[in-house]
C-alpha cells in the first residue's frame, strides 16, 4: 500500500486484521514511541477504526493529517505532536 499524495509517512503500522479496541491500543503504543514531528501511517481493515482512531487522535492531542480509504483498508496519517511515550 503506497503513501497518499501530499502526505509522507515516516513509519507504518499495518494493523489489518485487528478489530477495535486492539486497533486503537496498538496504534497508541506505536505512535507514543515515535519522536515528535513524525508521521505514522496506521492501516486498518476494521470499519469501526474510522470512528475510534480519529477520536483517540483528538484525545491524545496528536494530529490527524489525512484519512483515506484504499480498497478494504483505511489509512490514517497521524502526526506525533508530543514527547515520546
Amino acid at each position: 500500500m503506497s503513501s497518499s499524495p501530499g502526505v509522507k509517512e515516516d513509519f507504518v503500522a499495518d494493523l489489518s486484521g485487528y478489530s477495535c479496541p486492539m486497533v486503537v491500543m496498538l496504534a497508541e503504543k506505536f505512535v507514543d514511541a515515535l519522536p515528535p514531528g513524525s508521521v505514522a501511517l496506521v492501516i486498518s481493515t476494521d470499519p469501526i477504526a474510522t470512528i475510534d482512531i480519529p477520536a483517540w487522535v483528538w484525545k491524545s492531542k496528536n494530529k490527524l493529517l489525512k484519512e483515506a480509504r484504499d480498497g478494504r483498508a483505511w489509512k490514517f496519517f497521524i502526526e506525533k505532536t508530543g514527547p515520546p511515550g
Side-chain angles (χ1 to χ4, degrees):
M1 197 172 293
S2 63
S3 66
S4 183
V7 180
K8 172 70 176 110
E9 72 276 2
D10 300 306
F11 302 94
V12 177
D14 188 348
L15 304 178
S16 297
Y18 288 96
S19 300
C20 284
M22 279 305 288
V23 172
V24 173
M25 292 169 53
L26 293 170
E28 179 177 24
K29 184 176 181 177
F30 181 76
V31 173
D32 279 354
L34 300 177
S38 297
V39 175
L41 168 55
V42 175
I43 302 167
S44 177
T45 52
D46 183 2
I48 300 301
T50 61
I51 298 167
D52 290 346
I53 292 288
W56 163 73
V57 170
W58 177 80
K59 181 181 175 190
S60 67
K61 299 192 180 1
N62 290 303
K63 185 175 180 183
L64 183 60
L65 300 175
K66 185 171 185 168
E67 179 180 338
R69 185 154 184 197
D70 187 359
R72 288 190 54 236
W74 285 267
K75 302 190 299 184
F76 303 91
F77 293 84
I78 303 166
E79 182 180 355
K80 170 66 181 265
T81 59

